[in-house]
Amino acid sequence: MREISVYANLLLRVMYVKTWCVLLVSCFLLSAQASDYVSLAGKKGDFPLVHNGNAVAIYLDKAEPQGLKLAVTNLQNDMQKVSGATSELVSAITKQKSIVIVGTLQHSVVLQQLVAAGKLDVSAIDGQWEGMLIQLINQPMAGVEQALVVAGSDMRGAIFGVYDLSEKIGVSPWYWWADVPVKQAKSLFVKANTLVQQQPKVRYRGIFLNDEAPALSSWVHEKYGNYNSAFYQHVFELLLRLKANFLWPAMWNNSFNVDDIANPQLANTMGIVMSTSHHEPMMRADKEWHAERDGKWDYAVNPKKLYKFWQEGAQRHRDYESVYTLGMRGQADEPMGENENIALLEKIVAAQRQILSDTFGKDKLSQVPQVWALYKEVQSYYENGMRVPDDVTLLWSDDNWGNLRRLPTPDERKRSGGAGVYYHFDYVGGPRSYRWINTVPITKIWEQMNLAYDYQANRIWLTNVGDLKPMEYPIDFFLRMAWNPENYSADNLVTYGQQWATQQFGAEHAVQIEKLMTGYTRHNGRRKPELMEPDTYSVLNYNEASRISTELQSYVEQAETLHEKMPEQYKDAFFQLVLHPVKATRIIFELNHNAALNRLYAEQGRASSNDYAAQVKYWFAADKALEQQYHQLGKGRWNHFMSQPHIGYTTWNNPPANIMPNIVLNEPINAADMGVAVEGSAAAWPVNGNLPLKFDFYGQQQRYIDVFNKGNVPFDVNIRVSEPWIKLATRPAQIATEQRLWVSIDWSQLSTEHAAGTIDIKGTGWGSAKVKINAFKPADNNIHGFVEADGYISLDAGSGTVQQQAKDAYWQEIPNHGRTLSSMTGLIKPELSFVDKPSQAPYLEYPLHFFTEGKFEIHTIVAPSLNFVPGRGIRFAIGFDDEKPQIIDVLAENNAVSWEESVKDGVRAVISHHDLTQAGAKKLRLYLLESGLTVQKLVIATSELKSSYLAPPPSRKLP
């Protein structure tokens, strides 16, 4: 938090080393993880990968598995792409100065010899799942001066070490999927004393290709004919380069094992663990059952055929590394029936377990990876008593909108099968599908998945990525975080973004690119493009829509400038990863923004409303042109990927094509006719003669009056101000279409608390429009803290101070999270709760100053998190000064309607009522009672709040 004492923070972090070490050291860890142990200029003791046009040889034992050989071949290719030098692959080590030794501890005789000779210590990875070691060794053996060892505790561990080296020499994991150029270097050195030892904290880390038509499927059919091994090879390689190992394949109209019999063989060879989605049991695709048409998909009436169907799936994957999905949902990913039938589902799981026992042997059943996906209504089966054996992984799901529904209890954490999370970057369903572009900020991912890790849901991390493109940025973050969540904290998310930008485009513009990525994803996180409506952002109050318009325009201008600066070979990648989503985001906003202005101005009778109708058409055409530009990149390399309809939703399902918002066309009269409107009012003079503008000394300093023409003939206008302290930035003499007049107050000329005046606007017709100006300047000068003005005090959650932090319960600021400045999330040890003792809880404190007293509302705006701990809500306490605080449950009204509104808005707003008997200085305190609470904003309404989406802007703070 900006206001927290630096010394207090340091003291807390020293006192509570175990808890705070992640926050204190995580930035260093992330930096160390992503920093170069490869340099371009060698120093004494460095290892020459490439020098003087020669690339060092790579040793790989002939006994090593084919998957590792493929990865080493890619490393050879990568070194050649970077340096132009070709590295020889050898299976015997002769006398030579330097060599790279790649291998697994099980298969590499050379590695075993180095261990036996005491030259190599592998204790940190030996016996570990996917452990990798990269170490520089001097005089490893006779005749060799230096060896760079890349070792794995198993095949994937070695593969991850190989691709880690590829990444460090300048090959982005996105070199193929996003056309990121390989960085060129004539010399490459591994720094002396290099030692990297890592293994993943989450066992299975992967993605789900889903909702893949029309975009991905159209592209695949055009480029590959079908979802075959030629396609999946690129998916598998991307996963491995990101140190991932798990895939749910595309399944809308496809069957992974049937589309190409080489698919499962290639996955197993390369080291990808295959599974099937939450409604496709036992390694059988949904479309396989459709193709066989072997009766009804209902175990109650068709058990024998379903048993045989699943039996074939287990047999087919008997020799492949797989995770078997258990259970059953209805066809087309629907519930099995209107009512829960726990007994039937238990019978189904027992049958599936019997099949696995028969296939692999009864004594090995507990070693066969199995998962029960507790998705949607299936979770209620579990909550109502259904259980599966302890060796089955419980895969908890989010609500399809990135909010975790459930995490393991203390007893559930003891299960041998563990738990995992199924997350979403893409979704087809209610309240509205979102599939087009990235809408998930990495701050949101961290907030929720950090909870998952704290609650030991660490067996599987899987995310639905839709078409894969254009979700490159969140995919990259999710999978890297899954490798080691302890490397990531709220404090280093900006650092991650800058490092990602550096990897793709170089360091020169990384800071600016990170801000663009954060900016557009944050905007889409506020409201997904498919949910944007003309009335989403207010065009009347707080200059809200105008502020957003300016913000997005700035992003586009910056992105376009950077695109021009990019070397030619980087422009396609920059367009895909940065420029396109930034421009696409702005287009959807401006389309709706101009539709809102068109409708408002048409209602007011403005002739200019037709101009805004033309703007709606312009932005609608711009959306199509941007789609075509994407599809034309690289002579159609990514054709179809932007073909998902995203404009004109009326239900949860997308329209068949983009539909332009309705517009209103006026027929201006062939004469002059004046209208006048003021900020905050939809009505206009002469229909509404009451035109008030109110100013507070500590509030909004400018407000506007619009003088407009209803006809097409210009008219003269005469504007008179009744008081010298009322200031107009301009006083036009004539109005052709419309003119915005900015009004402000010269406070130096006011001495009284309340003052009133008028602005008289005379144009056409009888009479004149009179705008009433009221100004309030408080007499009290002894004011500190956030000041009441304009009928509210508005606070960014991160603008207060933190009190009573503890090692097991503390507030953490998440920069760039939520609607405005930042959010404050409460992190509490899973078993801990302060519901019965708010006085002992960590709390946020905000100094305030009120000029009024009475019964006020406090609107606490929080992330739409769910009660992921059974029997708990998400509660906090709030009150002024030392009074007994009110305990508020964010989820007190957790019904379907409130949930829909919360995910559409990206927040929940809870209201508490407070009686303030005396104006003056107060301290607002918000107490952390339970984990999962993430506060974004607080608004104290001292009068009725004006309608807006983001709530009023932050109030002024006096020292």
Side-chain angles (χ1 to χ4, degrees), residues 545-576:
S546 179
R547 286 188 287 113
I548 301 299
S549 178
T550 300
E551 176 185 48
L552 296 180
Q553 180 181 354
S554 173
Y555 291 157
V556 169
E557 290 171 352
Q558 292 176 58
E560 287 180 330
T561 298
L562 286 178
H563 187 252
E564 289 302 310
K565 291 181 178 179
M566 285 287 151
E568 195 62 34
Q569 67 269 28
Y570 282 91
K571 287 189 174 181
D572 278 5
F574 188 84
F575 181 88
Q576 294 166 60

Side-chain angles (χ1 to χ4, degrees), residues 668-690:
I669 61 174
N670 191 26
D673 189 13
M674 184 180 79
V676 177
V678 298
E679 179 178 336
S681 174
W685 182 90
V687 174
N688 181 8
N690 184 23

Side-chain angles (χ1 to χ4, degrees), residues 410-480:
D411 286 342
E412 289 163 352
R413 287 175 221 143
K414 298 173 185 176
R415 300 177 72 261
S416 60
V421 170
Y422 171 37
Y423 205 71
H424 285 77
F425 299 159
D426 164 287
Y427 179 57
V428 170
R432 192 163 289 183
S433 302
Y434 60 97
R435 305 168 57 192
W436 174 49
I437 60 173
N438 176 30
T439 63
V440 185
I442 64 171
T443 52
K444 169 80 171 182
I445 301 170
W446 178 85
E447 177 219 348
Q448 291 290 296
M449 296 310 295
N450 181 64
L451 287 171
Y453 186 68
D454 281 351
Y455 281 74
Q456 297 176 33
N458 56 12
R459 185 59 59 92
I460 300 173
W461 279 19
L462 173 75
T463 184
N464 185 327
V465 301
D467 300 313
L468 194 152
K469 295 180 70 65
M471 307 300 178
E472 299 95 339
Y473 190 56
I475 290 172
D476 193 284
F477 178 78
F478 183 91
L479 294 178
R480 291 185 191 275

Side-chain angles (χ1 to χ4, degrees), residues 3 697-698 778 780-788 847-849 851 955-959:
E3 304 295 330
F697 182 74
Y698 294 109
D780 186 1
N781 292 321
N782 185 27
I783 299 172
H784 306 282
F786 296 95
V787 188
E788 177 192 0
L848 313 174
H849 191 96
F851 298 113
S955 295
R956 184 174 172 183
K957 184 183 182 185
L958 299 182

Side-chain angles (χ1 to χ4, degrees), residues 162-176:
V162 167
Y163 283 132
D164 196 83
L165 181 57
S166 278
E167 197 171 347
K168 296 304 184 291
I169 68 174
V171 180
S172 167
W174 298 99
Y175 81 96
W176 194 90

